């Protein structure tokens, strides 16, 4: 609908339709088709999960025969089963705590560190930057055994606090690396000008640099939240009581069983794991686009 | 006087803003929390991992005894290690090639002035947001031979004669993992590229247009050089992550069938938790790390050159 309006507008603007205009219209039409294809490619599989989570298992098993895409009798039974039969509610709570805490810690400490690394020429900082990069590239798998020793010594094995520390420390290098690239992009002159005008460095940072770096901090936050929310390896090895498990590691136990208890219930689990993330992201996405559109446009 | 003090006590932010300490102290202070956390939980364990790789570890008591490079010798003589290494390398190459191309195409498309592009920008990022466990669930479900939608449609459209168990056949299992990885990680490229496209200096493009440059010329002479540092960073990050990718590989098939999806991280995990040989697991992990450092060094050089050419 909006597509044809757009084309009509383009057409109505000019009195005479020349070849260039036709070309332009065709080009725009193709661009719109491509845009729709890109969106479908991205969301169709996920839409299928949502749809299937609302179907009773009898409909799911009949799909190959009757090819009914939409649920004939939509139901929330799968969700009820999920919370009643499994410990899903508990895993949901644990993952929420981990992802939120880690995001806040990484954005806060990461912005501090990134600012420090880009603005002050102190001996040893360059070395630390390199070390940070190395820490950041660490395959998580290499850390499993040593971290187990370390957390054991600290009495933090099988504890959500221990996992929180591990998450924050292993996500910080990326946070610093990404934030650094944003801080480097902010001209030093902006800050210097504020300081010449009588601002302290803190004021310059808070009033001038921070607003400029906000899109970077939001991008970092979105990233850290999503990777921590679905983290599997550390959680599956560093936590072993079923009551302390997080979402990915918990749901993975369904997949490692020899038979699938109920596909509908698994799809409901998929929706539940994705939903808070998607809502959170949509809320922040507006800031992200605002940041992309304005403020960031500098020569 | 006392009123003023009260104010300062009750407004720590204001007090902070008035504070004027030396740059050196401030720099160290700001860096300290991150530095301590990273050192304790990410850098120190690397050293300890190296030590463990030179020891034989009793799995039950975690007692270690020094055995030198025997663990490395054992790993390097293991055919499965080399199979996993090659599998990992072509997994990285194929996945990154396609995420780069598709990501660039979608970024340029969504940079055009189209009605609804903001909604589209939001929607194309969805696969990246959705956790690996959900994606494993999704593709397992859609590819299921008896009730999966893709198998049903492929049969209906006469592309295949009968449903194929893509995930339980050694010949096809890795391709499913690759396809799903491309699908999941393309949005990362889009995030990086769109952010960079937003800040492209418009004067450059306009000047080139005035000089009569074609859009093809603008793309190669202005857009690509401008994008290059970000392309290299994005590729560096994706290379590292794909190389280390554990969840997207493991959760699809737990390394099977017949080790067909056992990449290096899965190989290391199996050594640690199935074979219970922590020393060898640490040695294999260290070898992985060596490979990564070589690749990262290469990217670092490339990045420095791209930045130099731009500024």
């Amino acid at each position: 609908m909006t597509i044809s309006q757009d084309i009509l507008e383009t057409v109505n603007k000019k009195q005479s339709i020349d070849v260039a205009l036709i070309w332009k219209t065709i080009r725009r039409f193709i661009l719109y088709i491509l845009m729709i294809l890109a969106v479908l490619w991205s969301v169709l599989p996920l839409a299928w999960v949502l749809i299937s989570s609302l179907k009773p298992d009898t409909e799911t098993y009949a799909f190959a025969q009757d090819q009914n895409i939409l649920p004939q009798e939509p139901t929330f039974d799968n969700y009820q089963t999920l919370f009643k039969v499994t410990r899903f509610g508990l895993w949901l709570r644990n993952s929420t705590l981990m992802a939120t805490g880690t995001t806040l810690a990484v954005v806060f400490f990461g912005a501090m560190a990134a600012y420090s690394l880009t603005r002050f020429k102190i001996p040893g900082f360059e070395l630390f930057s390199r070390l940070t990069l190395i820490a950041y590239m660490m395959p998580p798998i290499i850390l499993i055994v040593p971290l187990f020793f370390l957390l054991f010594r600290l009495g933090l094995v099988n504890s959500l606090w221990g996992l929180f520390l591990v998450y924050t420390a292993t996500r910080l290098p990326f946070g610093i690396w990404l934030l650094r690239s944003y801080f480097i992009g902010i001209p030093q002159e902006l800050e210097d000008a504020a300081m010449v005008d009588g601002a302290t460095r803190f004021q310059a940072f808070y009033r001038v640099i921070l607003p400029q770096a906000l899109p970077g901090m939001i991008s970092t936050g979105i990233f850290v939240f999503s990777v921590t929310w679905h983290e599997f390896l550390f959680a599956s090895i560093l936590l072993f009581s079923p009551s302390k498990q997080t979402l990915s590691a918990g749901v993975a136990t369904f997949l490692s069983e020899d038979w699938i208890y109920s596909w509908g219930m698994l799809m409901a689990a998929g929706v539940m794991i994705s939903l808070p993330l998607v809502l959170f992201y949509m809320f922040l996405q507006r800031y992200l686009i605002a940041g992309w559109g304005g403020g960031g446009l500098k020569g | 006087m006392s009123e003023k003090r009260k104010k300062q006590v009750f407004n720590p932010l204001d007090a902070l803003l008035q504070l004027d300490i030396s740059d050196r102290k401030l720099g160290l202070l700001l860096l300290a929390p991150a530095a301590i956390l990273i050192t304790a939980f990410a850098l120190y364990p690397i050293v300890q991992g190296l030590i463990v790789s030179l020891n034989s570890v009793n799995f039950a008591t975690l007692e270690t005894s020094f055995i030198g490079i025997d663990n490395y010798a054992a790993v390097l003589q293991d055919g499965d290690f080399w199979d996993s290494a090659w599998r990992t390398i072509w997994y990285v190459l194929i996945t990154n090639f396609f995420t780069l191309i598709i990501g660039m195409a979608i970024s340029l498309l969504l940079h055009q002035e189209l009605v609804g592009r903001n909604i589209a920008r939001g929607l194309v990022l969805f696969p990246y947001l959705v956790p690996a466990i959900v994606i494993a669930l999704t593709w397992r479900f859609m590819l299921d031979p008896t009730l999966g939608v893709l198998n049903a449609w492929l049969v209906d459209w006469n592309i295949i004669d009968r449903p194929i168990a893509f995930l339980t056949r050694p010949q096809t299992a890795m391709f499913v993992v690759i396809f799903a990885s491309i699908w999941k990680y393309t949005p990362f490229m889009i995030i990086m590229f769109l952010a960079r496209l937003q800040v492209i200096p418009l004067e450059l493009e306009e000047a080139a247009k005035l000089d009569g440059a074609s859009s093809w010329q603008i793309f190669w002479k202005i857009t690509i050089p401008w994008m290059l540092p970000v392309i290299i960073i994005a590729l560096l990050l994706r290379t590292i992550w794909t190389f280390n990718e554990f969840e997207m590989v493991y959760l699809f098939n737990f390394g099977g069938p017949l080790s067909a999806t056992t990449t290096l991280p899965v190989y290391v995990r199996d050594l640690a938790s199935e074979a219970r040989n922590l020393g060898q697991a640490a040695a294999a992990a260290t070898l992985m790390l060596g490979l990564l450092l070589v690749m990262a060094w290469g990217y670092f050089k490339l990045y420095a050159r791209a930045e130099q050419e731009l500024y």
Side-chain angles (χ1 to χ4, degrees), chain A residues 143-157 165-166 169 238, chain B residues 37-45 48 62:
Chain A
L143 299 175
I144 287 295
V145 175
L147 277 177
F148 196 85
F149 279 103
L150 183 63
L151 290 181
F152 188 79
R153 238 177 281 156
L154 296 171
L156 289 173
V157 151
L165 286 176
V166 169
L238 296 177
Chain B
L37 274 168
I38 292 170
T39 308
F41 290 95
L43 290 175
Y44 166 69
Q48 200 175 12
L62 294 185

PDB file of all heavy atoms in Angstrom, chain A residues 143-157 165-166 169 238, chain B residues 37-45 48 62:
ATOM      1  N   LEU A 143      38.810 -21.131  28.789  1.00  0.00           N
ATOM      2  CA  LEU A 143      38.726 -20.608  30.148  1.00  0.00           C
ATOM      3  C   LEU A 143      38.010 -21.540  31.114  1.00  0.00           C
ATOM      4  O   LEU A 143      38.078 -21.363  32.323  1.00  0.00           O
ATOM      5  CB  LEU A 143      38.002 -19.250  30.139  1.00  0.00           C
ATOM      6  CG  LEU A 143      38.662 -18.138  29.325  1.00  0.00           C
ATOM      7  CD1 LEU A 143      37.780 -16.904  29.308  1.00  0.00           C
ATOM      8  CD2 LEU A 143      40.031 -17.800  29.898  1.00  0.00           C
ATOM      9  N   ILE A 144      37.324 -22.534  30.553  1.00  0.00           N
ATOM     10  CA  ILE A 144      36.459 -23.360  31.387  1.00  0.00           C
ATOM     11  C   ILE A 144      37.197 -24.004  32.557  1.00  0.00           C
ATOM     12  O   ILE A 144      36.815 -23.829  33.714  1.00  0.00           O
ATOM     13  CB  ILE A 144      35.778 -24.451  30.512  1.00  0.00           C
ATOM     14  CG1 ILE A 144      34.708 -23.823  29.643  1.00  0.00           C
ATOM     15  CG2 ILE A 144      35.171 -25.534  31.360  1.00  0.00           C
ATOM     16  CD1 ILE A 144      33.555 -23.249  30.418  1.00  0.00           C
ATOM     17  N   VAL A 145      38.264 -24.736  32.270  1.00  0.00           N
ATOM     18  CA  VAL A 145      38.963 -25.468  33.328  1.00  0.00           C
ATOM     19  C   VAL A 145      39.600 -24.521  34.347  1.00  0.00           C
ATOM     20  O   VAL A 145      39.348 -24.650  35.551  1.00  0.00           O
ATOM     21  CB  VAL A 145      39.995 -26.441  32.721  1.00  0.00           C
ATOM     22  CG1 VAL A 145      40.796 -27.117  33.811  1.00  0.00           C
ATOM     23  CG2 VAL A 145      39.295 -27.465  31.841  1.00  0.00           C
ATOM     24  N   PRO A 146      40.403 -23.502  33.882  1.00  0.00           N
ATOM     25  CA  PRO A 146      40.988 -22.588  34.871  1.00  0.00           C
ATOM     26  C   PRO A 146      39.936 -21.839  35.691  1.00  0.00           C
ATOM     27  O   PRO A 146      40.122 -21.645  36.890  1.00  0.00           O
ATOM     28  CB  PRO A 146      41.792 -21.599  34.022  1.00  0.00           C
ATOM     29  CG  PRO A 146      41.911 -22.187  32.685  1.00  0.00           C
ATOM     30  CD  PRO A 146      40.875 -23.221  32.524  1.00  0.00           C
ATOM     31  N   LEU A 147      38.836 -21.436  35.057  1.00  0.00           N
ATOM     32  CA  LEU A 147      37.800 -20.703  35.795  1.00  0.00           C
ATOM     33  C   LEU A 147      37.176 -21.582  36.865  1.00  0.00           C
ATOM     34  O   LEU A 147      36.818 -21.110  37.941  1.00  0.00           O
ATOM     35  CB  LEU A 147      36.706 -20.191  34.847  1.00  0.00           C
ATOM     36  CG  LEU A 147      37.010 -18.885  34.129  1.00  0.00           C
ATOM     37  CD1 LEU A 147      35.885 -18.532  33.176  1.00  0.00           C
ATOM     38  CD2 LEU A 147      37.242 -17.759  35.124  1.00  0.00           C
ATOM     39  N   PHE A 148      37.071 -22.845  36.556  1.00  0.00           N
ATOM     40  CA  PHE A 148      36.503 -23.769  37.552  1.00  0.00           C
ATOM     41  C   PHE A 148      37.412 -23.819  38.777  1.00  0.00           C
ATOM     42  O   PHE A 148      36.941 -23.710  39.907  1.00  0.00           O
ATOM     43  CB  PHE A 148      36.328 -25.160  36.938  1.00  0.00           C
ATOM     44  CG  PHE A 148      35.417 -26.022  37.742  1.00  0.00           C
ATOM     45  CD1 PHE A 148      34.042 -25.957  37.566  1.00  0.00           C
ATOM     46  CD2 PHE A 148      35.931 -26.889  38.701  1.00  0.00           C
ATOM     47  CE1 PHE A 148      33.198 -26.741  38.316  1.00  0.00           C
ATOM     48  CE2 PHE A 148      35.079 -27.677  39.462  1.00  0.00           C
ATOM     49  CZ  PHE A 148      33.725 -27.603  39.267  1.00  0.00           C
ATOM     50  N   PHE A 149      38.725 -23.941  38.550  1.00  0.00           N
ATOM     51  CA  PHE A 149      39.695 -23.896  39.665  1.00  0.00           C
ATOM     52  C   PHE A 149      39.531 -22.604  40.458  1.00  0.00           C
ATOM     53  O   PHE A 149      39.436 -22.610  41.689  1.00  0.00           O
ATOM     54  CB  PHE A 149      41.135 -23.942  39.120  1.00  0.00           C
ATOM     55  CG  PHE A 149      41.631 -25.319  38.756  1.00  0.00           C
ATOM     56  CD1 PHE A 149      41.683 -25.720  37.424  1.00  0.00           C
ATOM     57  CD2 PHE A 149      42.059 -26.206  39.724  1.00  0.00           C
ATOM     58  CE1 PHE A 149      42.153 -26.973  37.069  1.00  0.00           C
ATOM     59  CE2 PHE A 149      42.533 -27.464  39.374  1.00  0.00           C
ATOM     60  CZ  PHE A 149      42.571 -27.857  38.042  1.00  0.00           C
ATOM     61  N   LEU A 150      39.494 -21.465  39.737  1.00  0.00           N
ATOM     62  CA  LEU A 150      39.466 -20.142  40.366  1.00  0.00           C
ATOM     63  C   LEU A 150      38.202 -19.946  41.200  1.00  0.00           C
ATOM     64  O   LEU A 150      38.260 -19.540  42.364  1.00  0.00           O
ATOM     65  CB  LEU A 150      39.560 -19.070  39.275  1.00  0.00           C
ATOM     66  CG  LEU A 150      39.622 -17.616  39.712  1.00  0.00           C
ATOM     67  CD1 LEU A 150      40.877 -17.364  40.530  1.00  0.00           C
ATOM     68  CD2 LEU A 150      39.589 -16.697  38.504  1.00  0.00           C
ATOM     69  N   LEU A 151      37.048 -20.254  40.604  1.00  0.00           N
ATOM     70  CA  LEU A 151      35.782 -20.061  41.313  1.00  0.00           C
ATOM     71  C   LEU A 151      35.700 -20.991  42.518  1.00  0.00           C
ATOM     72  O   LEU A 151      35.136 -20.641  43.546  1.00  0.00           O
ATOM     73  CB  LEU A 151      34.590 -20.300  40.371  1.00  0.00           C
ATOM     74  CG  LEU A 151      34.384 -19.255  39.279  1.00  0.00           C
ATOM     75  CD1 LEU A 151      33.171 -19.595  38.432  1.00  0.00           C
ATOM     76  CD2 LEU A 151      34.222 -17.865  39.879  1.00  0.00           C
ATOM     77  N   PHE A 152      36.308 -22.172  42.374  1.00  0.00           N
ATOM     78  CA  PHE A 152      36.308 -23.106  43.500  1.00  0.00           C
ATOM     79  C   PHE A 152      37.051 -22.487  44.676  1.00  0.00           C
ATOM     80  O   PHE A 152      36.586 -22.525  45.811  1.00  0.00           O
ATOM     81  CB  PHE A 152      36.965 -24.423  43.076  1.00  0.00           C
ATOM     82  CG  PHE A 152      36.847 -25.501  44.115  1.00  0.00           C
ATOM     83  CD1 PHE A 152      35.666 -26.213  44.256  1.00  0.00           C
ATOM     84  CD2 PHE A 152      37.919 -25.791  44.952  1.00  0.00           C
ATOM     85  CE1 PHE A 152      35.547 -27.197  45.217  1.00  0.00           C
ATOM     86  CE2 PHE A 152      37.803 -26.775  45.917  1.00  0.00           C
ATOM     87  CZ  PHE A 152      36.620 -27.481  46.053  1.00  0.00           C
ATOM     88  N   ARG A 153      38.214 -21.871  44.382  1.00  0.00           N
ATOM     89  CA  ARG A 153      39.010 -21.242  45.437  1.00  0.00           C
ATOM     90  C   ARG A 153      38.243 -20.088  46.093  1.00  0.00           C
ATOM     91  O   ARG A 153      38.376 -19.824  47.268  1.00  0.00           O
ATOM     92  CB  ARG A 153      40.321 -20.727  44.855  1.00  0.00           C
ATOM     93  CG  ARG A 153      41.539 -21.332  45.538  1.00  0.00           C
ATOM     94  CD  ARG A 153      42.822 -20.857  44.895  1.00  0.00           C
ATOM     95  NE  ARG A 153      43.119 -21.573  43.666  1.00  0.00           N
ATOM     96  CZ  ARG A 153      43.876 -21.084  42.684  1.00  0.00           C
ATOM     97  NH1 ARG A 153      44.374 -19.864  42.771  1.00  0.00           N
ATOM     98  NH2 ARG A 153      44.126 -21.787  41.608  1.00  0.00           N
ATOM     99  N   LEU A 154      37.456 -19.355  45.299  1.00  0.00           N
ATOM    100  CA  LEU A 154      36.699 -18.220  45.825  1.00  0.00           C
ATOM    101  C   LEU A 154      35.376 -18.646  46.451  1.00  0.00           C
ATOM    102  O   LEU A 154      34.629 -17.825  46.952  1.00  0.00           O
ATOM    103  CB  LEU A 154      36.413 -17.211  44.695  1.00  0.00           C
ATOM    104  CG  LEU A 154      37.620 -16.522  44.062  1.00  0.00           C
ATOM    105  CD1 LEU A 154      37.204 -15.741  42.830  1.00  0.00           C
ATOM    106  CD2 LEU A 154      38.302 -15.602  45.076  1.00  0.00           C
ATOM    107  N   GLY A 155      35.102 -19.941  46.403  1.00  0.00           N
ATOM    108  CA  GLY A 155      33.830 -20.427  46.930  1.00  0.00           C
ATOM    109  C   GLY A 155      32.648 -19.984  46.092  1.00  0.00           C
ATOM    110  O   GLY A 155      31.545 -19.812  46.586  1.00  0.00           O
ATOM    111  N   LEU A 156      32.869 -19.775  44.789  1.00  0.00           N
ATOM    112  CA  LEU A 156      31.804 -19.254  43.927  1.00  0.00           C
ATOM    113  C   LEU A 156      31.399 -20.238  42.827  1.00  0.00           C
ATOM    114  O   LEU A 156      30.769 -19.865  41.848  1.00  0.00           O
ATOM    115  CB  LEU A 156      32.241 -17.933  43.283  1.00  0.00           C
ATOM    116  CG  LEU A 156      32.320 -16.733  44.227  1.00  0.00           C
ATOM    117  CD1 LEU A 156      32.929 -15.527  43.539  1.00  0.00           C
ATOM    118  CD2 LEU A 156      30.938 -16.381  44.766  1.00  0.00           C
ATOM    119  N   VAL A 157      31.783 -21.499  43.000  1.00  0.00           N
ATOM    120  CA  VAL A 157      31.334 -22.505  42.040  1.00  0.00           C
ATOM    121  C   VAL A 157      29.855 -22.782  42.276  1.00  0.00           C
ATOM    122  O   VAL A 157      29.380 -22.719  43.412  1.00  0.00           O
ATOM    123  CB  VAL A 157      32.178 -23.793  42.192  1.00  0.00           C
ATOM    124  CG1 VAL A 157      31.384 -25.024  41.798  1.00  0.00           C
ATOM    125  CG2 VAL A 157      33.431 -23.693  41.342  1.00  0.00           C
ATOM    126  N   LEU A 165      30.345 -12.585  37.681  1.00  0.00           N
ATOM    127  CA  LEU A 165      31.719 -12.072  37.572  1.00  0.00           C
ATOM    128  C   LEU A 165      32.374 -12.554  36.283  1.00  0.00           C
ATOM    129  O   LEU A 165      33.013 -11.789  35.571  1.00  0.00           O
ATOM    130  CB  LEU A 165      32.547 -12.520  38.780  1.00  0.00           C
ATOM    131  CG  LEU A 165      32.249 -11.812  40.098  1.00  0.00           C
ATOM    132  CD1 LEU A 165      33.062 -12.429  41.233  1.00  0.00           C
ATOM    133  CD2 LEU A 165      32.551 -10.327  39.983  1.00  0.00           C
ATOM    134  N   VAL A 166      32.184 -13.836  35.980  1.00  0.00           N
ATOM    135  CA  VAL A 166      32.770 -14.397  34.761  1.00  0.00           C
ATOM    136  C   VAL A 166      32.191 -13.702  33.528  1.00  0.00           C
ATOM    137  O   VAL A 166      32.925 -13.296  32.618  1.00  0.00           O
ATOM    138  CB  VAL A 166      32.511 -15.917  34.686  1.00  0.00           C
ATOM    139  CG1 VAL A 166      32.867 -16.462  33.315  1.00  0.00           C
ATOM    140  CG2 VAL A 166      33.310 -16.642  35.756  1.00  0.00           C
ATOM    141  N   ALA A 169      33.540 -10.037  33.277  1.00  0.00           N
ATOM    142  CA  ALA A 169      34.946  -9.994  32.887  1.00  0.00           C
ATOM    143  C   ALA A 169      35.144 -10.429  31.440  1.00  0.00           C
ATOM    144  O   ALA A 169      35.971  -9.875  30.727  1.00  0.00           O
ATOM    145  CB  ALA A 169      35.775 -10.877  33.815  1.00  0.00           C
ATOM    146  N   LEU A 238      29.551 -24.209  34.720  1.00  0.00           N
ATOM    147  CA  LEU A 238      29.845 -23.607  36.026  1.00  0.00           C
ATOM    148  C   LEU A 238      28.669 -23.691  37.008  1.00  0.00           C
ATOM    149  O   LEU A 238      28.850 -23.489  38.204  1.00  0.00           O
ATOM    150  CB  LEU A 238      30.278 -22.144  35.858  1.00  0.00           C
ATOM    151  CG  LEU A 238      31.588 -21.939  35.072  1.00  0.00           C
ATOM    152  CD1 LEU A 238      31.888 -20.460  34.887  1.00  0.00           C
ATOM    153  CD2 LEU A 238      32.756 -22.648  35.744  1.00  0.00           C
TER     154      LEU A 238
ATOM    155  N   LEU B  37      38.869  -6.731  36.896  1.00  0.00           N
ATOM    156  CA  LEU B  37      37.991  -7.841  36.507  1.00  0.00           C
ATOM    157  C   LEU B  37      38.593  -8.658  35.364  1.00  0.00           C
ATOM    158  O   LEU B  37      38.606  -9.887  35.399  1.00  0.00           O
ATOM    159  CB  LEU B  37      36.623  -7.293  36.077  1.00  0.00           C
ATOM    160  CG  LEU B  37      35.624  -7.061  37.199  1.00  0.00           C
ATOM    161  CD1 LEU B  37      34.449  -6.247  36.696  1.00  0.00           C
ATOM    162  CD2 LEU B  37      35.140  -8.401  37.737  1.00  0.00           C
ATOM    163  N   ILE B  38      39.082  -7.938  34.347  1.00  0.00           N
ATOM    164  CA  ILE B  38      39.622  -8.636  33.175  1.00  0.00           C
ATOM    165  C   ILE B  38      40.860  -9.445  33.555  1.00  0.00           C
ATOM    166  O   ILE B  38      41.020 -10.590  33.135  1.00  0.00           O
ATOM    167  CB  ILE B  38      39.953  -7.631  32.048  1.00  0.00           C
ATOM    168  CG1 ILE B  38      38.661  -7.028  31.498  1.00  0.00           C
ATOM    169  CG2 ILE B  38      40.725  -8.307  30.929  1.00  0.00           C
ATOM    170  CD1 ILE B  38      38.882  -5.864  30.549  1.00  0.00           C
ATOM    171  N   THR B  39      41.714  -8.850  34.377  1.00  0.00           N
ATOM    172  CA  THR B  39      42.928  -9.565  34.775  1.00  0.00           C
ATOM    173  C   THR B  39      42.592 -10.833  35.549  1.00  0.00           C
ATOM    174  O   THR B  39      43.117 -11.912  35.270  1.00  0.00           O
ATOM    175  CB  THR B  39      43.830  -8.651  35.626  1.00  0.00           C
ATOM    176  OG1 THR B  39      44.025  -7.426  34.934  1.00  0.00           O
ATOM    177  CG2 THR B  39      45.180  -9.299  35.871  1.00  0.00           C
ATOM    178  N   ALA B  40      41.677 -10.704  36.514  1.00  0.00           N
ATOM    179  CA  ALA B  40      41.386 -11.846  37.385  1.00  0.00           C
ATOM    180  C   ALA B  40      40.636 -12.959  36.667  1.00  0.00           C
ATOM    181  O   ALA B  40      40.944 -14.136  36.846  1.00  0.00           O
ATOM    182  CB  ALA B  40      40.591 -11.372  38.602  1.00  0.00           C
ATOM    183  N   PHE B  41      39.655 -12.592  35.836  1.00  0.00           N
ATOM    184  CA  PHE B  41      38.766 -13.624  35.291  1.00  0.00           C
ATOM    185  C   PHE B  41      38.970 -13.927  33.819  1.00  0.00           C
ATOM    186  O   PHE B  41      38.304 -14.797  33.268  1.00  0.00           O
ATOM    187  CB  PHE B  41      37.303 -13.248  35.537  1.00  0.00           C
ATOM    188  CG  PHE B  41      36.906 -13.336  36.966  1.00  0.00           C
ATOM    189  CD1 PHE B  41      36.949 -12.217  37.775  1.00  0.00           C
ATOM    190  CD2 PHE B  41      36.518 -14.552  37.525  1.00  0.00           C
ATOM    191  CE1 PHE B  41      36.603 -12.295  39.106  1.00  0.00           C
ATOM    192  CE2 PHE B  41      36.175 -14.637  38.849  1.00  0.00           C
ATOM    193  CZ  PHE B  41      36.214 -13.508  39.657  1.00  0.00           C
ATOM    194  N   ALA B  42      39.844 -13.177  33.136  1.00  0.00           N
ATOM    195  CA  ALA B  42      40.045 -13.482  31.726  1.00  0.00           C
ATOM    196  C   ALA B  42      41.520 -13.643  31.366  1.00  0.00           C
ATOM    197  O   ALA B  42      41.862 -14.473  30.542  1.00  0.00           O
ATOM    198  CB  ALA B  42      39.397 -12.400  30.857  1.00  0.00           C
ATOM    199  N   LEU B  43      42.413 -12.854  31.981  1.00  0.00           N
ATOM    200  CA  LEU B  43      43.833 -12.962  31.629  1.00  0.00           C
ATOM    201  C   LEU B  43      44.549 -14.023  32.466  1.00  0.00           C
ATOM    202  O   LEU B  43      45.247 -14.875  31.925  1.00  0.00           O
ATOM    203  CB  LEU B  43      44.523 -11.598  31.787  1.00  0.00           C
ATOM    204  CG  LEU B  43      44.125 -10.536  30.765  1.00  0.00           C
ATOM    205  CD1 LEU B  43      44.769  -9.201  31.086  1.00  0.00           C
ATOM    206  CD2 LEU B  43      44.517 -10.964  29.357  1.00  0.00           C
ATOM    207  N   TYR B  44      44.358 -13.967  33.781  1.00  0.00           N
ATOM    208  CA  TYR B  44      45.012 -14.942  34.644  1.00  0.00           C
ATOM    209  C   TYR B  44      44.638 -16.392  34.276  1.00  0.00           C
ATOM    210  O   TYR B  44      45.520 -17.256  34.219  1.00  0.00           O
ATOM    211  CB  TYR B  44      44.707 -14.631  36.111  1.00  0.00           C
ATOM    212  CG  TYR B  44      45.050 -15.733  37.069  1.00  0.00           C
ATOM    213  CD1 TYR B  44      46.384 -16.058  37.319  1.00  0.00           C
ATOM    214  CD2 TYR B  44      44.061 -16.469  37.707  1.00  0.00           C
ATOM    215  CE1 TYR B  44      46.709 -17.083  38.182  1.00  0.00           C
ATOM    216  CE2 TYR B  44      44.381 -17.502  38.572  1.00  0.00           C
ATOM    217  CZ  TYR B  44      45.705 -17.809  38.816  1.00  0.00           C
ATOM    218  OH  TYR B  44      46.012 -18.836  39.653  1.00  0.00           O
ATOM    219  N   PRO B  45      43.371 -16.664  33.995  1.00  0.00           N
ATOM    220  CA  PRO B  45      43.019 -18.042  33.610  1.00  0.00           C
ATOM    221  C   PRO B  45      43.750 -18.534  32.362  1.00  0.00           C
ATOM    222  O   PRO B  45      43.973 -19.738  32.228  1.00  0.00           O
ATOM    223  CB  PRO B  45      41.510 -17.971  33.360  1.00  0.00           C
ATOM    224  CG  PRO B  45      41.042 -16.852  34.206  1.00  0.00           C
ATOM    225  CD  PRO B  45      42.150 -15.845  34.173  1.00  0.00           C
ATOM    226  N   GLN B  48      46.903 -19.869  33.646  1.00  0.00           N
ATOM    227  CA  GLN B  48      46.664 -21.135  34.332  1.00  0.00           C
ATOM    228  C   GLN B  48      46.333 -22.253  33.338  1.00  0.00           C
ATOM    229  O   GLN B  48      46.731 -23.395  33.524  1.00  0.00           O
ATOM    230  CB  GLN B  48      45.539 -20.989  35.355  1.00  0.00           C
ATOM    231  CG  GLN B  48      45.629 -22.098  36.380  1.00  0.00           C
ATOM    232  CD  GLN B  48      44.631 -21.959  37.495  1.00  0.00           C
ATOM    233  OE1 GLN B  48      43.711 -21.165  37.422  1.00  0.00           O
ATOM    234  NE2 GLN B  48      44.811 -22.750  38.523  1.00  0.00           N
ATOM    235  N   LEU B  62      41.381 -33.182  40.797  1.00  0.00           N
ATOM    236  CA  LEU B  62      41.969 -32.001  40.181  1.00  0.00           C
ATOM    237  C   LEU B  62      43.432 -31.823  40.586  1.00  0.00           C
ATOM    238  O   LEU B  62      43.969 -30.718  40.532  1.00  0.00           O
ATOM    239  CB  LEU B  62      41.166 -30.727  40.523  1.00  0.00           C
ATOM    240  CG  LEU B  62      39.748 -30.632  39.960  1.00  0.00           C
ATOM    241  CD1 LEU B  62      39.150 -29.276  40.272  1.00  0.00           C
ATOM    242  CD2 LEU B  62      39.720 -30.874  38.466  1.00  0.00           C
TER     243      LEU B  62
END
